[in-house]
Amino acid sequence: MYIYLYVIYVCIIISLYNFHTYLCRLREETLKNLIYIIDKLDEKLLQDRLVKCIVSLQNDAEPSIRTNATIFLGRLAPKLSPVVRNRVLCQAYVKAMKDGFVHCRFVLLLF
């Protein structure tokens, strides 16, 4: 059991480093598929490191990555503590509302 959790943890750390790569497609696919393993994450990793990475993706040059980051934050919101949720989501949603890409603004209406 512990070996599986360790393997999952290593895969998540590698995924977080993929957010800083120059390949747009890799960043986007990592973001899309990370939602499926959110329940397995440690609280500290979820509340601190992952949220910082996702918020930094909202400044990406690629509009689809900004849109998927907004979707990811909306799906992640129920799993965040109230303090982190209030601090992070308000700023992230305001940033998404000011985005020039129409789909990014439209996604906010779904959440």
Side-chain angles (χ1 to χ4, degrees), residues 3 8 14 22 26 29 37 41 50-51 74-75 80 86-89 95 108:
I3 294 172
I8 290 172
I14 290 170
Y22 64 92
L26 184 60
E29 290 302 318
I37 56 173
L41 293 179
L50 182 63
V51 171
R75 290 184 180 175
L80 295 175
N86 290 337
R87 185 189 69 211
V88 172
L89 288 183
K95 189 182 295 186
L108 283 176

Side-chain angles (χ1 to χ4, degrees), residues 28-60:
E28 187 174 1
E29 290 302 318
T30 302
L31 183 61
K32 284 180 184 177
N33 292 313
L34 196 58
I35 195 70
Y36 298 112
I37 56 173
I38 288 293
D39 297 331
K40 310 278 189 285
L41 293 179
D42 181 34
E43 281 297 313
K44 182 164 176 54
L45 183 67
L46 181 70
Q47 304 287 338
D48 184 39
R49 185 139 182 209
L50 182 63
V51 171
K52 286 180 185 176
C53 288
I54 302 303
V55 168
S56 70
L57 284 178
Q58 282 195 309
N59 296 326
D60 199 89

Side-chain angles (χ1 to χ4, degrees), residues 4-18 30 34 37 41:
Y4 294 123
L5 292 176
Y6 179 74
V7 170
I8 290 172
Y9 182 75
V10 169
C11 290
I12 291 169
I13 296 300
I14 290 170
S15 296
L16 291 178
Y17 286 119
N18 283 342
T30 302
L34 196 58
I37 56 173
L41 293 179

Side-chain angles (χ1 to χ4, degrees), residues 63 67 70-71 96 99-110:
T67 304
T70 305
I71 293 170
D99 197 319
F101 191 56
V102 175
H103 301 291
C104 191
R105 292 189 308 249
F106 179 73
V107 164
L108 283 176
L109 299 176
L110 300 176

